[in-house]
């Protein structure tokens, strides 16, 4: 694990329940100070969790609330993203300066791609053609072709890039620069920065509203969320949340935004219409990574200091389950279960 990761999980610029464990990958009791938790209630999705300290990706079946697989990857896995068709899982290995490509069907690593220094975040374009990787140590974004599994461009952005978000049409990439207090606007067709938007202190993660009109940015050091008007390219509002907000996600209907607060052991629920926190949910210790389920019914949160994953029901804003995962869980991605077949290029 690199210096950036070790510092960032506790108080710095990288995203990232004390529980009575029944056993590895089994359901556990409630986090200290959190409501009692039962089984994960929603079937039909898998959750992938990057385990920074155990160099694995845990695969959680949300129907049973158990870890069904643990995939060895590179050194210091920090972030995870699933391709739009659910067939591939991409993992940044922050201490190895690589990205692992996992076949979701076989749950094995089928390729390893060298990228920049300390890759911290990863996302996939909506058309499934490109993978974007934020390299916190080299102030750049690597662009990987999903077809060739090779880096095709390297884009210089702000200082310590972390969060990434791509517009639904794939034309624009937004990059949160933690040490610059800015968001870089990248035109994907030319791989060039076309604008820079000042936001709060320590922007760590960001997410686009489903309609593409607003960008929500979690600011780790100023304990708030910036609302950016994408059309005007300016910050239009700032919403106070918990201590050290990190992972962020939005419901598919755009009504609520969810933020994992590392220092508060909570998730803030924000009303997009009111632009205010309407609920605060107690989860595990050191919540950092966060993903909303494809149907919007659940939010999944990795608890770095508890080695657990919490599930939050969006209809009640209550934690409903906790499962033990690998050591030091960080990035989280949720995907609907699909019958993903093998990639023809993987055939002998």
């Amino acid at each position: 694990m690199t210096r950036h990761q070790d510092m960032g999980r506790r108080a710095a610029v990288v995203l990232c329940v004390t529980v009575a464990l029944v056993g590895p990958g089994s359901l556990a009791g409630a986090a200290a100070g959190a409501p009692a938790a039962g089984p994960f209630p929603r079937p039909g999705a898998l959750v992938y969790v990057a385990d920074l300290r155990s160099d694995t990706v845990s695969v959680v079946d949300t129907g049973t609330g158990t870890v069904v697989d643990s995939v060895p990857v590179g050194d210091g896995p920090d972030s995870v993203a699933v391709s739009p068709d659910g067939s591939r899982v991409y993992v940044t290995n922050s201490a190895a300066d690589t990205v692992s490509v996992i076949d979701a069907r076989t749950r094995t690593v089928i390729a390893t791609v060298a990228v920049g220094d300390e890759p911290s975040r990863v996302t996939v374009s909506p058309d499934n053609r490109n993978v974007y990787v934020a390299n916190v140590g080299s102030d750049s974004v690597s662009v990987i072709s999903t077809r060739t599994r090779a880096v095709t461009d390297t884009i210089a952005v702000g200082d310590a890039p972390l969060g990434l978000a791509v517009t639904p049409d794939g034309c624009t990439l937004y990059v949160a620069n933690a040490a610059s207090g800015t968001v870089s606007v990248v035109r994907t067709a030319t791989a060039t920065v076309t604008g820079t938007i000042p936001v709060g202190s320590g922007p760590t993660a960001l997410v686009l509203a489903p309609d593409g009109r607003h960008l929500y940015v979690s600011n780790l050091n100023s304990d708030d969320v910036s609302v950016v008007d994408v059309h005007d390219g300016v910050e239009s509002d700032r919403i106070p949340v918990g201590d050290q907000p990190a992972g962020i996600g939005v419901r598919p209907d755009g009504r609520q935004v969810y933020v994992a607060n590392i220092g508060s052991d909570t998730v803030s629920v924000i009303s997009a219409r009111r632009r205010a926190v309407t609920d605060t949910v107690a989860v595990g210790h050191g919540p950092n990574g966060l993903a909303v389920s494809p149907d919007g019914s659940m939010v999944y949160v990795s608890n770095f200091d508890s080695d657990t994953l919490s599930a939050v029901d969006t209809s009640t804003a209550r934690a409903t389950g906790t499962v033990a995962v690998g050591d030091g869980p960080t990035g989280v991605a949720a995907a609907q279960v699909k019958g993903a077949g093998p990639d023809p290029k993987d055939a002998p």
Side-chain angles (χ1 to χ4, degrees), residues 104-325:
R105 183 180 61 86
T106 63
R107 295 177 189 159
T108 58
V109 174
I110 56 176
T112 301
V113 184
V115 290
D117 185 18
E118 291 188 43
S120 60
R121 297 295 171 266
V122 61
T123 193
V124 187
S125 64
D127 63 8
N128 202 26
R129 292 184 178 181
N130 293 304
V131 175
Y132 299 100
V133 182
N135 305 303
V136 67
S138 53
D139 301 337
S140 65
V141 172
S142 297
V143 185
I144 300 172
S145 164
T146 58
R147 182 180 62 83
T148 64
R149 297 174 190 156
V151 173
T152 58
D153 276 299
T154 300
I155 308 165
V157 290
D159 191 6
L162 287 173
L164 298 168
V166 187
T167 54
D169 61 9
C171 294
T172 305
L173 172 71
Y174 295 98
V175 186
N177 305 305
S180 299
T182 61
V183 171
S184 294
V185 183
V186 177
R187 184 182 180 190
T188 57
T190 58
T192 56
V193 174
T194 60
T196 302
I197 305 169
V199 288
S201 177
T204 303
L206 41 72
V207 65
L208 269 168
D211 62 7
R213 294 179 58 185
H214 294 97
L215 187 70
Y216 300 98
V217 187
S218 61
N219 301 308
L220 188 79
N221 299 331
S222 53
D223 299 339
D224 51 30
V225 169
S226 294
V227 183
V228 174
D229 185 307
V230 171
H231 182 266
D232 294 334
V234 296
E235 181 188 57
S236 59
D237 212 341
R238 193 86 65 83
I239 305 167
V241 289
D243 187 17
Q244 297 179 306
I248 190 166
V250 62
R251 276 176 56 108
D253 61 13
R255 293 181 179 180
Q256 281 85 33
V257 178
Y258 300 87
V259 188
N261 304 304
I262 295 175
S264 301
D265 295 344
T266 60
V267 171
S268 295
V269 183
I270 298 171
S271 166
R273 181 180 61 84
R274 294 168 54 187
R275 294 190 179 177
V277 172
T278 58
D279 280 292
T280 300
V281 186
V283 288
H285 295 311
N288 58 100
L290 182 148
V292 180
S293 66
D295 64 2
S297 64
M298 303 296 295
V299 171
Y300 301 102
V301 186
S302 61
N303 304 303
F304 185 81
D305 294 320
S306 300
D307 299 335
T308 58
L309 181 76
S310 293
V312 175
D313 189 320
T314 60
S315 66
T316 61
R318 290 182 61 86
T320 61
T322 304
V323 60
V325 290

Side-chain angles (χ1 to χ4, degrees), residues 57-76:
V57 169
S58 295
V59 184
V60 178
D61 181 331
T62 63
T64 61
T66 58
V67 174
V68 294
D69 215 336
S70 181
V71 184
V73 289
D75 189 7

